[in-house]
């Protein structure tokens, strides 16, 4: 990805420069032994680990009712996700600072658009962390009896959130180490199923190509609606660009490699399960990978193996998402659009952002267990599928803006066409994500955004007042 930037790199504007231990623009503090920039392997693991949480362990059963035509939906979604990944790579080359979509939206459309990107992404991260922790308790219960009482389950969920937070408080050096180990450990069993499935594959297990009564287009769209959110996280390296070594080069590479790696695991894992578990059994399965392992190797140890893999996968995703939850508010705080406390780093990590995220996610987790209503919590999780796409839409729109408004001498015409097509595909993919989240999620998600408008009004007023005092 040496020569892929459509617009020549430009230095950040003075009012956008950042400072701190991360080594971004501005005056850098002395490096901490606990802070270490991510190389290409760790950045790639961050992308893959955040894309692949625990959903992979349920996906084959979720799409089985549509038949093997769901693999076509996988292909379509993969193409859209890769287009989005390429766009993030181009944008990171142009402006390789922490914040990702926030930075791009603000540079193109001003403070308000940047704030909306930061606010919506922040909501996504801490609500998703609560959801991941609660889901992980179900797998932990296979190994340890924590599900007998709601308070032991709640405590387990809180501990699962706290451990990745402690890794973040320790510094980026430890975040990267945890992410690398978690990615390797969770991919070993997934690859085992994918490779083992080649030797145990039986085409008779696949069932019909189209198992539903929908038209082929309708079946693909229905399967895609379930799979759409499997690729959330492609922006991970761009959001943490300030912690990546040589970000103009490595952010794009990590984004593409991570997305391709996740897509390969998704596709091979799903195909392996389809070919080893009979279709009629798979449709009603609650642990499809466990059933696949049992079918491949015999015995009943598959449930324990998959539980371990799923638990490792979710803890790794919590580790990565906890870091991302603090990065976007950090970038916004540098520009006066989030409280200044969010803009301070220690050991390379915005510790206040991590702390606030853990507190909010923990409160939501406790509420989930005390309210006893899964519907409320599921509704909040669906909202995050909408709020996650708002930064995508703004970032791809920013890329289109940069391409169309670029000066003739700074744009190579051949790349303009190519990057314009990629941006258009990525924007359409983001719109598909919004549509797939459902009417209720969009409606409630917009309400969450409107709460952010009030916060923006407060922060913008304080920023203006401070500027007035300085001018006087």
């Amino acid at each position: 990805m040496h020569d892929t930037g459509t617009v020549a790199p430009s230095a950040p504007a003075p009012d956008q420069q950042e400072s701190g231990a991360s080594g971004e623009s501005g005056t850098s503090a002395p490096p901490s032994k606990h802070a270490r920039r991510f190389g290409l392997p760790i950045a790639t693991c961050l992308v893959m680990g955040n894309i692949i949480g625990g959903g992979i362990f349920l996906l084959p059963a979720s799409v089985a009712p549509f038949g093997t035509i769901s693999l076509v939906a996988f292909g379509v979604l993969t193409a859209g996700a890769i287009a989005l990944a390429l766009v993030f790579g181009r944008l990171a080359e142009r402006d390789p600072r922490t914040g990702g979509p926030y930075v791009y939206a603000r540079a193109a459309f001003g403070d308000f658009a940047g704030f909306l990107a930061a606010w919506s992404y922040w909501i996504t991260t801490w609500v998703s962390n609560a959801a991941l922790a609660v889901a992980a308790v179900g797998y932990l219960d296979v190994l340890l009896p924590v599900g007998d009482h709601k308070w032991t389950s709640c405590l387990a969920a809180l501990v699962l959130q706290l451990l990745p937070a402690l890794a973040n408080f320790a510094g980026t050096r430890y975040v990267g180490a945890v992410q690398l180990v978690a990615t390797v450990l969770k991919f070993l069993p997934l690859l085992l199923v994918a490779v083992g499935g080649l030797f145990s594959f039986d085409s008779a297990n696949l069932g019909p190509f189209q198992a539903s009564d929908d038209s082929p287009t309708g079946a693909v769209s229905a399967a895609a609606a379930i799979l759409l959110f499997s690729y959330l996280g492609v922006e991970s390296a761009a959001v943490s660009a300030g912690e990546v070594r040589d970000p103009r080069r490595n952010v794009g590479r990590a984004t593409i490699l991570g997305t391709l790696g996740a897509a390969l695991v998704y596709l091979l894992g799903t195909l392996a399960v389809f070919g080893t578990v009979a279709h009629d059994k798979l449709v009603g399965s609650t642990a499809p990978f466990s059933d696949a392992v049992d079918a491949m190797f015999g015995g009943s140890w598959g449930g324990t193996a998959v539980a371990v893999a799923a638990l490792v996968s979710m803890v790794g995703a919590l580790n990565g998402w906890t870091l991302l939850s603090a990065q976007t508010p950090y970038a916004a705080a540098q520009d006066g659009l989030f409280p200044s406390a969010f803009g301070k780093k220690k050991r390379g990590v915005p510790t206040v952002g991590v702390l606030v995220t853990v507190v909010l996610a923990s409160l939501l987790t406790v509420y989930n267990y005390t309210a006893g209503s899964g519907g409320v919590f599921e509704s909040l999780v669906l909202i995050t599928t909408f709020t996650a796409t708002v930064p995508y839409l703004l970032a791809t729109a920013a890329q289109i803006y940069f391409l169309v408004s670029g000066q003739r001498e700074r744009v190579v015409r051949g790349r303009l066409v190519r990057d314009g097509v990629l941006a258009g595909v990525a924007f359409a993919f983001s719109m598909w994500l919004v549509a797939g989240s459902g009417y209720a999620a969009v409606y409630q998600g917009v309400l969450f955004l409107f709460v952010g408008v009030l916060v923006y009004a407060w922060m913008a007023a304080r920023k203006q007042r401070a500027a007035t005092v300085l001018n006087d």
Side-chain angles (χ1 to χ4, degrees), residues 28-51:
S28 297
S32 166
K33 66 178 182 179
H34 302 289
R36 179 177 296 174
R37 287 198 169 193
F38 302 146
L40 180 61
I42 298 297
T44 302
C45 287
L46 184 66
V47 175
M48 293 181 70
N50 286 351
I51 291 177

Short mmCIF file of all heavy atoms in Angstrom, two decimals, residues 28-51:
data_model
loop_
_atom_site.label_atom_id
_atom_site.label_comp_id
_atom_site.label_asym_id
_atom_site.label_seq_id
_atom_site.Cartn_x
_atom_site.Cartn_y
_atom_site.Cartn_z
N SER A 28 5.87 15.82 22.16
CA SER A 28 5.65 14.53 22.78
C SER A 28 6.31 14.47 24.14
O SER A 28 7.41 14.99 24.37
CB SER A 28 6.22 13.40 21.90
OG SER A 28 5.55 13.36 20.67
N ALA A 29 5.63 13.82 25.06
CA ALA A 29 6.20 13.58 26.37
C ALA A 29 7.22 12.45 26.26
O ALA A 29 7.20 11.68 25.31
CB ALA A 29 5.09 13.22 27.35
N PRO A 30 8.14 12.32 27.22
CA PRO A 30 9.09 11.22 27.18
C PRO A 30 8.35 9.89 27.13
O PRO A 30 7.37 9.69 27.84
CB PRO A 30 9.85 11.38 28.51
CG PRO A 30 9.69 12.81 28.88
CD PRO A 30 8.34 13.21 28.38
N PRO A 31 8.78 8.97 26.26
CA PRO A 31 8.06 7.70 26.13
C PRO A 31 8.12 6.88 27.40
O PRO A 31 9.12 6.86 28.10
CB PRO A 31 8.81 7.01 24.97
CG PRO A 31 10.18 7.63 24.97
CD PRO A 31 9.96 9.04 25.39
N SER A 32 7.02 6.23 27.70
CA SER A 32 6.94 5.35 28.87
C SER A 32 7.32 3.94 28.47
O SER A 32 7.04 3.51 27.35
CB SER A 32 5.52 5.38 29.44
OG SER A 32 5.35 4.31 30.35
N LYS A 33 7.96 3.21 29.38
CA LYS A 33 8.31 1.83 29.07
C LYS A 33 7.07 0.96 28.94
O LYS A 33 7.13 -0.14 28.40
CB LYS A 33 9.22 1.27 30.17
CG LYS A 33 8.55 1.13 31.53
CD LYS A 33 9.49 0.53 32.54
CE LYS A 33 8.82 0.35 33.91
NZ LYS A 33 9.72 -0.26 34.90
N HIS A 34 5.91 1.47 29.44
CA HIS A 34 4.67 0.72 29.34
C HIS A 34 3.89 1.06 28.07
O HIS A 34 2.88 0.42 27.78
CB HIS A 34 3.78 0.99 30.56
CG HIS A 34 4.45 0.65 31.86
ND1 HIS A 34 4.68 -0.64 32.25
CD2 HIS A 34 4.94 1.45 32.85
CE1 HIS A 34 5.28 -0.64 33.45
NE2 HIS A 34 5.45 0.62 33.82
N ALA A 35 4.32 2.11 27.37
CA ALA A 35 3.64 2.51 26.13
C ALA A 35 4.48 2.07 24.96
O ALA A 35 5.68 2.33 24.89
CB ALA A 35 3.45 4.03 26.11
N ARG A 36 3.87 1.38 24.04
CA ARG A 36 4.60 0.91 22.87
C ARG A 36 3.67 0.97 21.66
O ARG A 36 2.53 0.51 21.72
CB ARG A 36 5.09 -0.52 23.09
CG ARG A 36 5.84 -1.09 21.89
CD ARG A 36 6.37 -2.47 22.18
NE ARG A 36 7.36 -2.44 23.26
CZ ARG A 36 7.90 -3.53 23.78
NH1 ARG A 36 7.53 -4.72 23.38
NH2 ARG A 36 8.80 -3.43 24.74
N ARG A 37 4.17 1.53 20.58
CA ARG A 37 3.34 1.61 19.38
C ARG A 37 3.19 0.23 18.76
O ARG A 37 4.09 -0.60 18.81
CB ARG A 37 3.97 2.59 18.39
CG ARG A 37 3.81 4.04 18.82
CD ARG A 37 4.04 4.96 17.66
NE ARG A 37 3.64 6.33 17.99
CZ ARG A 37 3.51 7.27 17.08
NH1 ARG A 37 3.73 7.03 15.81
NH2 ARG A 37 3.14 8.49 17.44
N PHE A 38 2.02 0.01 18.15
CA PHE A 38 1.73 -1.27 17.55
C PHE A 38 2.41 -1.37 16.19
O PHE A 38 2.31 -0.46 15.37
CB PHE A 38 0.22 -1.45 17.35
CG PHE A 38 -0.59 -1.33 18.62
CD1 PHE A 38 -1.86 -0.78 18.58
CD2 PHE A 38 -0.08 -1.77 19.82
CE1 PHE A 38 -2.62 -0.66 19.73
CE2 PHE A 38 -0.83 -1.66 20.99
CZ PHE A 38 -2.11 -1.10 20.93
N GLY A 39 3.05 -2.50 15.93
CA GLY A 39 3.54 -2.79 14.60
C GLY A 39 2.42 -3.37 13.75
O GLY A 39 1.27 -3.51 14.19
N LEU A 40 2.75 -3.75 12.53
CA LEU A 40 1.74 -4.30 11.62
C LEU A 40 1.06 -5.55 12.18
O LEU A 40 -0.17 -5.67 12.10
CB LEU A 40 2.37 -4.58 10.25
CG LEU A 40 1.43 -5.17 9.19
CD1 LEU A 40 0.27 -4.21 8.91
CD2 LEU A 40 2.21 -5.45 7.90
N PRO A 41 1.80 -6.53 12.76
CA PRO A 41 1.13 -7.73 13.28
C PRO A 41 0.10 -7.42 14.37
O PRO A 41 -1.01 -7.96 14.34
CB PRO A 41 2.28 -8.58 13.82
CG PRO A 41 3.48 -8.11 13.07
CD PRO A 41 3.27 -6.64 12.88
N ILE A 42 0.47 -6.55 15.34
CA ILE A 42 -0.46 -6.25 16.43
C ILE A 42 -1.66 -5.47 15.90
O ILE A 42 -2.81 -5.71 16.31
CB ILE A 42 0.25 -5.44 17.53
CG1 ILE A 42 1.41 -6.26 18.13
CG2 ILE A 42 -0.74 -5.06 18.63
CD1 ILE A 42 0.97 -7.52 18.82
N ALA A 43 -1.41 -4.50 14.99
CA ALA A 43 -2.52 -3.73 14.42
C ALA A 43 -3.48 -4.64 13.66
O ALA A 43 -4.70 -4.47 13.71
CB ALA A 43 -1.98 -2.63 13.50
N THR A 44 -2.92 -5.63 12.95
CA THR A 44 -3.77 -6.59 12.24
C THR A 44 -4.58 -7.43 13.21
O THR A 44 -5.78 -7.68 12.99
CB THR A 44 -2.89 -7.51 11.35
OG1 THR A 44 -2.14 -6.71 10.43
CG2 THR A 44 -3.75 -8.50 10.57
N CYS A 45 -3.95 -7.85 14.31
CA CYS A 45 -4.66 -8.62 15.33
C CYS A 45 -5.77 -7.78 15.97
O CYS A 45 -6.84 -8.32 16.31
CB CYS A 45 -3.69 -9.09 16.42
SG CYS A 45 -2.60 -10.44 15.91
N LEU A 46 -5.53 -6.47 16.13
CA LEU A 46 -6.55 -5.60 16.69
C LEU A 46 -7.79 -5.57 15.80
O LEU A 46 -8.92 -5.67 16.27
CB LEU A 46 -5.99 -4.18 16.85
CG LEU A 46 -6.92 -3.15 17.51
CD1 LEU A 46 -7.17 -3.51 18.97
CD2 LEU A 46 -6.31 -1.75 17.42
N VAL A 47 -7.57 -5.47 14.48
CA VAL A 47 -8.68 -5.46 13.53
C VAL A 47 -9.41 -6.81 13.55
O VAL A 47 -10.63 -6.87 13.69
CB VAL A 47 -8.19 -5.13 12.11
CG1 VAL A 47 -9.33 -5.24 11.10
CG2 VAL A 47 -7.59 -3.73 12.06
N MET A 48 -8.65 -7.89 13.42
CA MET A 48 -9.27 -9.22 13.39
C MET A 48 -9.98 -9.54 14.70
O MET A 48 -11.09 -10.08 14.71
CB MET A 48 -8.21 -10.28 13.10
CG MET A 48 -7.61 -10.20 11.71
SD MET A 48 -6.39 -11.51 11.39
CE MET A 48 -7.45 -12.94 11.30
N GLY A 49 -9.33 -9.21 15.82
CA GLY A 49 -9.92 -9.52 17.12
C GLY A 49 -11.20 -8.75 17.37
O GLY A 49 -12.12 -9.27 18.01
N ASN A 50 -11.28 -7.51 16.88
CA ASN A 50 -12.49 -6.71 17.11
C ASN A 50 -13.61 -7.09 16.14
O ASN A 50 -14.79 -6.97 16.48
CB ASN A 50 -12.17 -5.23 16.97
CG ASN A 50 -11.40 -4.70 18.17
OD1 ASN A 50 -11.25 -5.39 19.16
ND2 ASN A 50 -10.90 -3.49 18.07
N ILE A 51 -13.25 -7.51 14.93
CA ILE A 51 -14.29 -7.97 14.00
C ILE A 51 -14.88 -9.28 14.50
O ILE A 51 -16.10 -9.48 14.54
CB ILE A 51 -13.71 -8.16 12.59
CG1 ILE A 51 -13.35 -6.80 11.98
CG2 ILE A 51 -14.72 -8.87 11.68
CD1 ILE A 51 -12.71 -6.90 10.60
#
